[in-house]
Amino acid sequence: MVRNCIDIFRFVYGLLMQLRTLLVIIVTEKPTDYAAILRAANQEINEPPEWLAPSKFVYSPEYGVGEVMAVLGRRLIVKFFEEVNPTQFDNWEDVVEKGLIKESGAQLGGNLDNSDIGGDVAAIGEEIDKIPNVAFQSVARDFATTITRVNIQSGVGGSIHPIPEDLPSNLHLGLQNICVNTVYSHQLEALAKLRAGYDLTITTPTASGKTLCYNLPIIESCIKQPDTRALYIFPLKALALDQMRKLQMLVKAIPNHRIKIALMTGDTPRDERQQLFIPHPPNVLAVSPDLLHHYLYNIRRPQEGEGWRLFLRQLRYVVIDESHTYIGAFGAHFANLMRRLRLAVDAVGGNSHKLQFICSSATIGNPQEMALRFSGRTQQPNRSHLIRESGADSAGRTLLCLEPSSAANIEASKMIISWLQHNLSGIVFCNSRAAVKGLLGLIQRETQRTGCGHLANQVALFYSSLIGERRREIISKLQSGQIKVIISTSSLEAGIDLPELDCCLIRGFPGSLMSFWQRVGRAGRKQHGLVVYLPLAQNPIDVYYAKNPQQLLSGDVECSAFNPDYPTILGKHLECGCIESALALREINHRFGHVAGTIADSLLQQNKLYLSNGGKLWGRGYPHKEVNLRSAANTSINLIDKHSGDILEKMSLEVAYREVFPQAIYFLQDENGDIIAYRSESLNVEKGEAQLAYLGKETTLYTEAESELDIVPLSTLAQPKIINTNIDDGRIRLTLAWGEITTSVTGYRLMKRIYGKTCKNQQCANFKKSLEGNSCPKCRRQIYAAEVITLQDEIVFETPLVTKYQAPCVLIDLNEGVKKALREQVSRLKQEIIQKYGNSIPEIYQPLWTGASDFITLHSLQHQIIKAVPLVVLSSSLDVDGIVVEKEGRTYNYFYDTCEGGNGAAEAIFHDLSKFAAKAYALASGCDCETGCPRCLHSSGCPQHNEPLNKDLGLYLLDAIFNGNG
């Protein structure tokens, strides 16, 4: 039977080959049209410009950057980097005249003026030749036409010293046992200062040995004084596990010691926690701030709290690792937690004045100020010592700045594939999980198309909702070399140790220079590293730094901003602290700040606190459960494979409402590295789980949640302000309020993603819509193969999925003088549009005829200010949002912080609106689009779907604000 099948196959195959030969003969035997050749030869054809000569680089708004292959008569042939096959244009003069082909560097990212960005190709080439790594040079040459800046940081030798002779001999031997035979100068400096009783703030670069700065003197103290206790506080459980593993390695290598190390997490059972303090407390106890918040309550438990009380009584060191992560509301909560810790130490018979606080931080604008606020010693700055200069040797790194790209995933996938082809390892940072997953999917498709699919198996995803086992598996495979590249969100930005990586790609500005340099530090530790910054053309901050790379490379890093005296935040911690430790009336303001007395009065009136005969405030109950330090939903949801019962991932309830609502399509990476799809069949909040059914690897469908937003002011936080403008009798009223923000997921849209023909003109109504034929019926430009997205269905839930939180919000109200000026401005704009277009008003301008002038202006100003937030305060554009509402015949704009308790962004806008307006005006006016674009106006997360907006109206009011307060 098998032989017969083979014979039949050979027979059919032979017939097909004969048919193919016959078709070739028929086509080739068609006579040549020599008359057409003569007509072509007799035509007068102009000489093309020098920049269209073969091997020259050109730019197309539709195709991107490409290399000229030839000009054959009028026919222009270009090989574009984003296209598989050469592209042919019938008439080079026609496409040049229409702007469809430009000299390289004349235009980039659709309609972005590149005159201030593009670098000289020859000069860039010379800089590439200086990169001290041949593989890096090769990668850079692949992207030479899009590189705008090459910054080579040479390696520097370290200041290395022998291990101090005065260390305990067994500690000396333990260090040698783990191959630590020398120390850096900054580690010696830390040892000396901690021995002398100083607090310490360490801000040396990534991988400079900050951990040994405090581990060495603390372990020394534990050996010399066995009752020494140290509390290590880590913001992430994974970070705590990683750092304590290294500390255990050192302790195990020390002979003849009795040092006890313990790690306590939220997963540690209650009885195991008690065992950690028997027969005596650990010398070093590692916790998260969340666990410490709850565990402080245990000092009031008679038996269970005995070991904990002894630990606090003998506590000497408090290590705050990755202290730069405590910003915004998290920082405000943490500062209050430290107030409670000091109170608890004193309440059990210890001495908080003798505590030594050690902050290990990334580069930040005000590290000492932050450390002093955490230690409560702002009036004793001389007690704290700052170590900035590192004595560690540095291998150096090369940083490449690329042109902003409107197709960032395509550029990123090419970069990653280039790394893999050069056998380089690396990490890629994206700013969302959607970008992470989309990038991997593109890499898999592109490597399969080019016949190198095995390369995609060396790429893994890393983000916060992955379960711990999967995270550890990824890091292990990275260490063994099975995985070469990790695509991550900010999850790997902080402290978790990774093996030596060759490269780092930063896809889009992460929101702060602090985060940018944290990411940069992931490459080039022991050997020279390569860092690539790929700005997003849709992001005005990226475009700003692309035009001003020196600001990126040497600009001042942002300062930490948080307010621990927010009434609601302070009130929660004051109540918890009084229940844990009781608080003497005379110490209220000293321990909890100048507004604490007023807060305590309110808590007494509400019978939340009571006054003892001895003059102490105390309380009942367990309010701790109502406090979330990270200002996120306490409820977490496990994503469960319906058929196997395995937990796939874990996420917060708020994220689950948006991503795994019933019937949602959810994508993740399986153990083989493939992107696979699941459909959510149920979401049960009580059980804390979502049941997901397997869909498969190949699906063109995905879902987008539809949501609504509502804000209700609850109380004012400050006296309202009147802002003058340069408009006659034009004023703006600002109110800072404490409000309740309610988000309702009301349904979803079912979308289909396919690859077909579409218009690539971003200004056209058919942009990314499915089209047929050879040209767009609206803008008449040629259409091309690309990703096309179509709406399949819209579903409305019977019962919305609701989440609520409270945070500061800023209410903006315009007076009649401003409103009148806006109506007049709209009238002028409408006249200009009519003069230009007649009665055929483009759709983009229709809101000027259908919407209210104050609504359009406030909405536009709101978007423009939000995009400028990272240029003013240590917050990203994701930390604050806005909405325009109409109530009782008036139009208001709200800015609001996007997390429970706030993060300082909305309050900063209230206090310095003029500065925000100036920065926003500079960003938006610097964009050369006519009516607004994703870089300067539109926002993908806008609660009001970017309707209505007008760039010029926003600029008009921004100008009026900052010039009226100059």
Side-chain angles (χ1 to χ4, degrees):
M1 175 65 76
V2 174
R3 182 175 296 276
N4 290 338
C5 290
I6 294 174
D7 291 340
I8 293 171
F9 173 79
R10 287 174 175 170
F11 175 72
V12 173
Y13 180 78
L15 286 177
L16 289 172
M17 291 300 99
Q18 293 177 29
L19 178 61
R20 178 188 175 196
T21 303
L22 181 60
L23 288 172
V24 171
I25 292 171
I26 291 172
V27 172
T28 53
E29 287 188 351
K30 182 180 178 180
T32 302
D33 187 350
Y34 290 103
I37 292 177
L38 285 172
R39 285 193 295 271
N42 290 328
Q43 287 180 344
E44 289 190 13
I45 300 176
N46 294 325
E47 283 291 319
E50 177 63 26
W51 58 269
L52 279 183
S55 300
K56 293 289 187 180
F57 294 106
V58 295
Y59 177 81
S60 163
E62 285 81 13
Y63 289 108
V65 176
E67 182 179 357
V68 176
M69 298 184 71
V71 177
L72 306 178
R74 286 195 173 92
R75 182 178 300 273
L76 170 64
I77 305 174
V78 181
K79 177 62 178 72
F80 291 101
F81 301 144
E82 294 185 12
E83 302 296 324
V84 178
N85 300 315
T87 301
Q88 301 184 43
F89 300 92
D90 293 337
N91 189 321
W92 66 261
E93 292 179 285
D94 185 47
V95 294
V96 169
E97 182 181 351
K98 292 180 178 178
L100 301 180
I101 290 292
K102 299 170 182 281
E103 186 175 3
S104 179
Q107 184 87 2
L108 73 91
N111 56 5
L112 174 67
D113 182 4
N114 186 31
S115 57
D116 296 332
I117 299 179
D120 180 86
V121 175
I124 292 294
E126 292 176 2
E127 291 297 313
I128 290 174
D129 291 339
K130 299 176 184 177
I131 298 175
N133 182 297
V134 175
F136 295 169
Q137 288 182 13
S138 180
V139 170
R141 290 192 186 99
D142 290 342
F143 296 85
T145 57
T146 61
I147 295 175
T148 63
R149 181 71 176 264
V150 179
N151 181 267
I152 302 174
Q153 301 171 358
S154 301
V156 294
S159 177
I160 302 174
H161 303 268
I163 296 174
E165 292 294 334
D166 58 351
L167 283 178
S169 58
N170 56 343
L171 176 55
H172 202 289
L173 183 59
L175 290 169
Q176 292 178 339
N177 288 338
I178 61 170
C179 301
V180 175
N181 298 305
T182 58
V183 292
Y184 297 125
S185 59
H186 66 281
Q187 293 169 337
L188 282 182
E189 183 182 357
L191 177 63
K193 291 298 179 182
L194 285 176
R195 281 174 170 176
Y198 283 87
D199 293 341
L200 202 61
T201 303
I202 312 161
T203 62
T204 55
T206 305
S208 60
K210 286 196 286 278
T211 303
L212 196 60
C213 284
Y214 54 81
N215 276 345
L216 194 60
I218 289 175
I219 295 301
E220 176 191 44
S221 181
C222 292
I223 292 173
K224 290 182 175 181
Q225 299 174 308
D227 60 351
T228 296
R229 312 294 171 201
L231 183 67
Y232 284 30
I233 306 173
F234 297 100
L236 301 171
K237 184 170 75 171
L239 178 60
L241 290 167
D242 186 62
Q243 294 297 328
M244 294 308 287
R245 176 185 54 80
K246 291 193 293 185
L247 182 58
Q248 284 280 17
M249 187 183 304
L250 169 59
V251 170
K252 287 181 179 179
I254 300 172
N256 303 319
H257 73 84
R258 299 178 62 185
I259 301 172
K260 184 177 179 181
I261 308 293
L263 169 64
M264 192 160 58
T265 73
D267 299 327
T268 308
R270 184 171 178 176
D271 57 340
E272 288 186 23
R273 293 181 186 181
Q274 286 184 263
Q275 291 299 317
L276 295 178
F277 297 89
I278 298 174
H280 57 79
N283 296 97
V284 177
L285 175 65
V287 297
S288 68
D290 316 84
L291 188 137
L292 178 62
H293 160 67
H294 289 280
Y295 212 71
L296 281 174
Y297 181 83
N298 279 6
I299 67 173
R300 59 177 289 160
R301 297 181 185 273
Q303 294 182 338
E304 183 179 340
E306 185 176 347
W308 176 230
R309 287 191 294 273
L310 177 59
F311 177 86
L312 292 175
R313 192 177 305 128
Q314 297 176 334
L315 183 61
R316 177 175 174 184
Y317 300 102
V318 179
V319 175
I320 305 172
D321 197 47
E322 302 291 330
S323 60
H324 60 276
T325 61
Y326 299 106
I327 60 176
F330 194 19
H333 278 290
F334 188 78
N336 277 292
L337 180 63
M338 292 298 96
R339 287 168 167 172
R340 287 164 51 200
L341 174 64
R342 295 193 298 272
L343 174 63
V345 166
D346 292 331
V348 298
N351 188 342
S352 65
H353 295 290
K354 292 184 178 180
L355 292 177
Q356 288 181 258
F357 286 84
I358 303 160
C359 290
S360 175
S361 172
T363 302
I364 198 171
N366 57 342
Q368 278 288 68
E369 178 189 348
M370 172 184 270
L372 289 169
R373 295 176 79 182
F374 290 154
S375 67
R377 293 167 180 166
T378 55
Q379 304 303 315
Q380 300 172 282
N382 292 334
R383 282 196 61 174
S384 182
H385 179 74
L386 174 65
I387 298 179
R388 288 185 186 272
E389 299 299 322
S390 171
D393 50 345
S394 168
R397 59 177 61 92
T398 295
L399 195 149
L400 306 179
C401 293
L402 305 186
E403 294 174 342
S405 172
S406 56
N409 268 4
I410 293 176
E411 292 298 314
S413 66
K414 291 179 180 178
M415 178 68 68
I416 295 165
I417 293 170
S418 178
W419 291 354
L420 294 171
Q421 290 171 335
H422 287 86
N423 197 33
L424 297 172
S425 62
I427 185 169
V428 181
F429 285 106
C430 300
N431 296 327
S432 71
R433 287 191 296 182
V436 164
K437 295 176 183 179
L439 179 54
L440 179 59
L442 188 59
I443 291 170
Q444 291 176 342
R445 290 192 296 271
E446 181 63 16
T447 52
Q448 288 171 3
R449 185 187 64 79
T450 55
C452 52
H454 63 284
L455 293 178
N457 297 331
Q458 301 175 45
V459 183
L461 303 183
F462 199 103
Y463 46 89
S464 60
S465 62
L466 293 179
I467 59 176
E469 182 180 350
R470 174 61 178 158
R471 293 187 187 195
R472 290 188 289 273
E473 178 189 1
I474 291 171
I475 300 299
S476 174
K477 287 184 175 180
L478 186 66
Q479 291 170 335
S480 68
Q482 291 175 265
I483 289 174
K484 300 288 288 185
V485 175
I486 285 184
I487 307 176
S488 176
T489 59
S490 60
S491 302
L492 285 176
E493 195 175 284
I496 300 172
D497 271 1
L498 296 177
E500 178 76 10
L501 296 174
D502 301 310
C503 310
C504 173
L505 171 62
I506 302 173
R507 180 195 173 278
F509 187 68
S512 71
L513 287 171
M514 181 192 72
S515 292
F516 179 84
W517 288 110
Q518 277 283 94
R519 297 179 179 193
V520 167
R522 281 303 191 182
R525 296 187 171 187
K526 297 178 181 178
Q527 298 178 354
H528 193 88
L530 176 67
V531 178
V532 182
Y533 171 47
L534 173 59
L536 309 184
Q538 298 86 350
N539 187 332
I541 310 299
D542 279 297
V543 175
Y544 174 84
Y545 282 122
K547 287 185 175 183
N548 302 278
Q550 198 56 38
Q551 289 293 320
L552 181 73
L553 299 175
S554 58
D556 292 335
V557 178
E558 304 87 353
C559 292
S560 165
F562 58 84
N563 180 9
D565 296 330
Y566 271 143
T568 53
I569 296 176
L570 175 58
K572 292 174 181 177
H573 289 277
L574 183 59
E575 184 179 356
C576 290
C578 290
I579 290 173
E580 295 156 359
S581 308
L583 175 61
L585 287 175
R586 65 180 181 274
E587 296 182 353
I588 291 178
N589 291 341
H590 169 68
R591 290 190 179 274
F592 283 89
H594 66 281
V595 300
T598 303
I599 305 301
D601 175 47
S602 177
L603 292 171
L604 283 166
Q605 291 182 36
Q606 299 174 52
N607 292 322
K608 297 293 184 180
L609 292 182
Y610 305 91
L611 183 62
S612 72
N613 292 334
K616 289 190 175 184
L617 292 173
W618 61 279
R620 298 190 181 97
Y622 190 67
H624 302 62
K625 63 181 182 297
E626 305 299 330
V627 183
N628 191 314
L629 304 187
R630 300 174 194 266
S631 303
N634 282 309
T635 307
S636 59
I637 302 295
N638 290 324
L639 309 190
I640 298 176
D641 187 315
K642 177 184 176 182
H643 300 291
S644 68
D646 294 338
I647 297 177
L648 302 171
E649 292 184 6
K650 187 176 184 178
M651 60 180 55
S652 70
L653 177 61
E654 183 181 3
V655 174
Y657 276 165
R658 296 195 308 268
E659 298 196 9
V660 290
F661 51 81
Q663 299 305 305
I665 297 174
Y666 188 77
F667 295 90
L668 51 82
Q669 185 184 28
D670 67 7
E671 62 275 6
N672 298 319
D674 295 321
I675 290 289
I676 55 177
Y678 284 83
R679 186 185 297 278
S680 173
E681 295 199 345
S682 65
L683 174 58
N684 190 314
V685 179
E686 286 73 25
K687 291 184 177 180
E689 64 180 35
Q691 293 283 337
L692 305 186
Y694 178 76
L695 278 183
K697 297 179 183 179
E698 302 294 334
T699 180
T700 58
L701 298 175
Y702 67 98
T703 49
E704 290 181 345
E706 293 278 6
S707 62
E708 294 179 353
L709 181 74
D710 185 42
I711 299 178
V712 178
L714 302 177
S715 62
T716 57
L717 295 176
Q719 189 71 24
K721 296 170 60 175
I722 301 298
I723 302 296
N724 294 317
T725 70
N726 64 1
I727 298 170
D728 290 340
D729 196 33
R731 294 180 296 279
I732 298 173
R733 181 185 180 90
L734 301 183
T735 303
L736 180 64
W738 188 262
E740 182 171 77
I741 298 96
T742 301
T743 302
S744 304
V745 177
T746 57
Y748 67 93
R749 297 192 299 169
L750 180 65
M751 312 296 288
K752 187 174 185 179
R753 181 192 289 114
I754 61 173
Y755 288 85
K757 288 186 175 181
T758 188
C759 179
K760 288 190 176 181
N761 176 13
Q762 295 186 25
Q763 304 301 315
C764 179
N766 282 335
F767 177 60
K768 285 195 173 182
K769 291 183 179 179
S770 181
L771 300 174
E772 295 182 357
N774 296 317
S775 63
C776 174
K778 287 199 177 286
C779 68
R780 302 299 178 185
R781 292 190 182 182
Q782 186 177 352
I783 62 176
Y784 308 95
E787 185 179 78
V788 179
I789 297 172
T790 57
L791 174 64
Q792 302 295 298
D793 199 1
E794 290 187 276
I795 308 297
V796 178
F797 295 149
E798 291 184 6
T799 304
L801 307 175
V802 176
T803 54
K804 296 181 179 182
Y805 69 93
Q806 295 181 5
C809 55
V810 178
L811 173 67
I812 295 183
D813 184 17
L814 309 177
N815 81 338
E816 187 55 39
V818 176
K819 292 180 181 179
K820 179 182 176 183
L822 292 178
R823 290 193 293 269
E824 293 172 352
Q825 181 69 8
V826 168
S827 295
R828 285 191 289 270
L829 289 174
K830 287 163 71 173
Q831 288 299 319
E832 293 173 4
I833 294 166
I834 290 173
Q835 290 176 7
K836 184 175 182 180
Y837 297 101
N839 293 326
S840 301
I841 306 299
E843 185 177 353
I844 192 71
Y845 294 115
Q846 289 296 331
L848 294 177
W849 275 263
T850 60
S853 58
D854 53 353
F855 193 108
I856 302 171
T857 305
L858 284 172
H859 194 197
S860 304
L861 171 139
Q862 169 206 112
H863 278 223
Q864 290 161 335
I865 283 182
I866 288 173
K867 289 179 180 294
V869 163
L871 297 182
V872 185
V873 292
L874 186 58
S875 297
S876 79
S877 296
L878 300 176
D879 288 332
V880 64
D881 211 335
I883 187 172
V884 182
V885 299
E886 293 176 325
K887 292 182 179 179
E888 300 175 354
R890 295 186 67 84
T891 303
Y892 304 96
N893 178 84
Y894 283 102
F895 287 103
Y896 60 92
D897 289 340
T898 55
C899 65
E900 174 75 39
N903 49 49
E907 187 175 1
I909 292 173
F910 171 79
H911 288 299
D912 208 351
L913 179 64
S914 181
K915 186 173 183 179
F916 280 91
K919 292 289 187 180
Y921 185 90
L923 279 177
S925 63
C927 179
D928 71 339
C929 71
E930 184 177 352
T931 59
C933 68
R935 296 191 304 275
C936 68
L937 189 65
H938 305 119
S939 171
S940 59
C942 173
Q944 295 173 306
H945 310 294
N946 293 297
E947 295 178 354
L949 293 170
N950 182 276
K951 177 182 178 178
D952 289 336
L953 284 178
L955 287 172
Y956 176 79
L957 189 53
L958 288 172
D959 176 78
I961 292 170
F962 77 80
N963 279 322
N965 291 269

